[in-house]
Amino acid sequence: MTHTAEWKVRLYLFEEDHTTKARLELDTGTNRLTGHGTARCAPQDTDVPEIGDELAVARAMEDLALQIKRAAYGDMRPAGAPSLPESLKPYPGWLDTGA
């Protein structure tokens, strides 16, 4: 079976007072999720905005990834997969190469 889908992602970055915030919005067409991430520059560190952007975005992506996993695991129950433990470990029939 062939399946093609387009998911839309929007990324917003905000920086103020050595703090960078990222908001990552995902629209799957049937679901909307938002990931958030923050990075702060320590007073003794050199302010390099690119590093703050990278860290904040990476943290927003991690947050969004966890939300997507929760949604997928929730969708698996009605599809016949057994109940999942609270740790959100995947059903053995689905591969998870993450931690």
Side-chain angles (χ1 to χ4, degrees):
M1 172 172 66
T2 300
H3 171 75
T4 302
E6 179 180 342
W7 289 7
K8 295 181 172 106
V9 178
R10 297 196 79 150
L11 172 63
Y12 301 93
L13 287 166
F14 311 91
E15 184 178 352
E16 185 176 327
D17 297 327
H18 302 287
T19 299
T20 303
K21 294 183 181 182
R23 186 175 75 231
L24 187 61
E25 298 176 354
L26 171 68
D27 182 355
T28 68
T30 58
N31 199 0
R32 295 184 75 133
L33 300 170
T34 304
H36 298 275
T38 301
R40 290 178 185 83
C41 183
Q44 69 273 15
D45 291 340
T46 302
D47 187 9
V48 181
E50 183 179 3
I51 294 171
D53 291 351
E54 292 166 345
L55 288 171
V57 170
R59 291 168 180 161
M61 287 180 167
E62 289 173 333
D63 181 39
L64 185 59
L66 181 58
Q67 292 179 53
I68 295 168
K69 279 186 176 183
R70 284 187 177 136
Y73 296 157
D75 292 342
M76 288 168 64
R77 251 179 248 112
S83 295
L84 296 165
E86 289 299 314
S87 68
L88 295 179
K89 291 296 180 189
Y91 171 59
W94 294 85
L95 298 176
D96 183 13
T97 58

